[in-house]
Amino acid sequence: RETIVAPEMSAFHEVPLEYHLRVTELDNSGPGECQEFEMAGDRHEVVGLTPGRKYKVEVRQRSREAAWGQWSSRTHVYTLDPVVVTMARIGEDNVTPCWARAASRVAPMPELVVSNACVTQYQLAVEELDAQGLPVGGTEKRFRLNHYFEANLSMFDVMGLRPNTIYGVQVRAQTGGEHWGLWSQATRVATMRQMEVTVELINEHNLSVSWARDKPHWLRDAAEGEGLPCPADPEEICVGDYRLQNVQLLVEGIEPGDDFKSLQTFAAETSATTVF
């Protein structure tokens, strides 16, 4: 009686399957940067991609004879558009940033895979910058805010800022309850300068005052700010509306027993008055 011995299969099964993943950025001019990965598993997280871009994804498998097979059919994916920050209001000691994803630059296509991941929360970061509009190094104490918001909120009043100061504002979004996206491009904003009051004449029973609020020197003629710090790319800094609508002037006594108080409202074109 003949005995048939089955071949050993252990060596056959010890040969791991290998995959070759290729991700290529696509734009209007043709293929761009390409990333390639070789791995044993059938899942891989590709990082370092650019928001709001289209990519071509292909994969092939190495056979047990160590030969690569054919590339898979191409899959085109579109990364989520970046979060963009704009300013709804800019005051002397406050700003109100708004955030949303940028409008998609790609037309819907049946073969294009897009993300349907829902935003679960946002993170807002506000940092005081130096006079050049750059981050401050060292241990110098500056205003910093780091705050989280529910997905249904898209604006926030940031209070307690310093007048005539530049701040950097960024937002990032979390999707699927665990994946944090990239920080938005920093939006720089300059808080408004305070009103300046000048007492021009003081008499026994009255005084003449004037008021104004000038724009920062880097928004005026460059010659006026010669020798003063000027932020880099000042045209990219958000500034408030320096056009006045109405002005209120408050004059009150500060000595004990002096209960004098005068509160007047003036039209925007008025810039001086006499208080009796």
Side-chain angles (χ1 to χ4, degrees):
R1 183 175 181 180
E2 184 179 0
T3 302
I4 301 176
V5 179
E8 292 187 10
M9 301 295 292
S10 58
F12 180 79
H13 286 289
E14 285 175 0
V15 179
L17 290 175
E18 289 187 76
Y19 298 94
H20 182 190
L21 173 67
R22 183 166 66 187
V23 180
T24 307
E25 181 179 350
L26 302 176
D27 56 28
N28 295 331
S29 60
E33 181 181 356
C34 178
Q35 298 188 53
E36 300 191 44
F37 312 89
E38 291 187 15
M39 69 211 75
D42 59 358
R43 182 182 298 269
H44 184 74
E45 180 178 353
V46 181
V47 299
L49 304 182
T50 302
R53 294 290 179 86
K54 186 162 62 173
Y55 290 86
K56 176 180 65 176
V57 181
E58 303 166 286
V59 67
R60 62 180 179 174
Q61 186 183 57
R62 190 195 300 270
S63 69
R64 301 192 187 279
E65 290 76 28
W68 286 111
Q70 296 295 313
W71 286 106
S72 66
S73 59
R74 299 170 180 176
T75 299
H76 293 87
V77 300
Y78 185 77
T79 53
L80 285 169
D81 290 289
V83 175
V84 177
V85 177
T86 57
M87 290 295 154
R89 185 174 63 250
I90 302 174
E92 297 173 357
D93 64 348
N94 62 89
V95 297
T96 303
C98 304
W99 52 87
R101 289 205 183 275
S104 178
R105 301 180 300 170
V106 66
M109 301 166 54
E111 66 274 17
L112 186 64
V113 179
V114 296
S115 173
N116 59 358
C118 295
V119 174
T120 47
Q121 62 177 327
Y122 291 103
Q123 183 180 4
L124 168 69
V126 182
E127 179 182 11
E128 183 178 339
L129 306 178
D130 64 14
Q132 282 76 39
L134 301 174
V136 180
T139 58
E140 184 176 355
K141 187 176 181 180
R142 298 270 181 156
F143 179 92
R144 286 183 174 85
L145 173 70
N146 191 14
H147 203 74
Y148 294 88
F149 300 91
E150 296 297 327
N152 61 338
L153 296 178
S154 60
M155 63 188 305
F156 181 69
D157 294 327
V158 182
M159 311 297 292
L161 307 181
R162 295 198 303 169
N164 195 29
T165 303
I166 302 174
Y167 294 86
V169 182
Q170 291 180 283
V171 173
R172 65 175 181 170
Q174 183 193 64
T175 56
E178 56 179 334
H179 299 290
W180 281 106
L182 299 176
W183 285 104
S184 65
Q185 182 177 352
T187 297
R188 295 184 299 166
V189 54
T191 51
M192 303 277 285
R193 296 185 67 172
Q194 288 181 291
M195 296 287 293
E196 296 182 0
V197 177
T198 303
V199 179
E200 299 177 340
L201 179 65
I202 303 176
N203 290 319
E204 296 175 343
H205 65 297
N206 61 53
L207 55 86
S208 297
V209 298
S210 62
W211 52 86
R213 176 159 59 190
D214 294 329
K215 295 180 180 180
H217 68 274
W218 45 270
L219 286 177
R220 306 194 299 267
D221 185 359
E224 296 184 33
E226 186 175 354
L228 296 175
C230 181
D233 302 319
E235 67 278 0
E236 297 182 2
I237 297 179
C238 301
V239 296
D241 188 352
Y242 275 79
R243 294 173 298 177
L244 300 178
Q245 295 180 339
N246 292 291
V247 177
Q248 282 193 325
L249 175 67
L250 174 63
V251 181
E252 56 184 340
I254 58 174
E255 294 292 334
D258 185 355
D259 58 355
F260 177 86
K261 184 175 183 179
S262 171
L263 178 62
Q264 303 179 66
T265 301
F266 299 92
E269 59 270 17
T270 304
S271 60
T273 190
T274 299
V275 180
F276 293 91

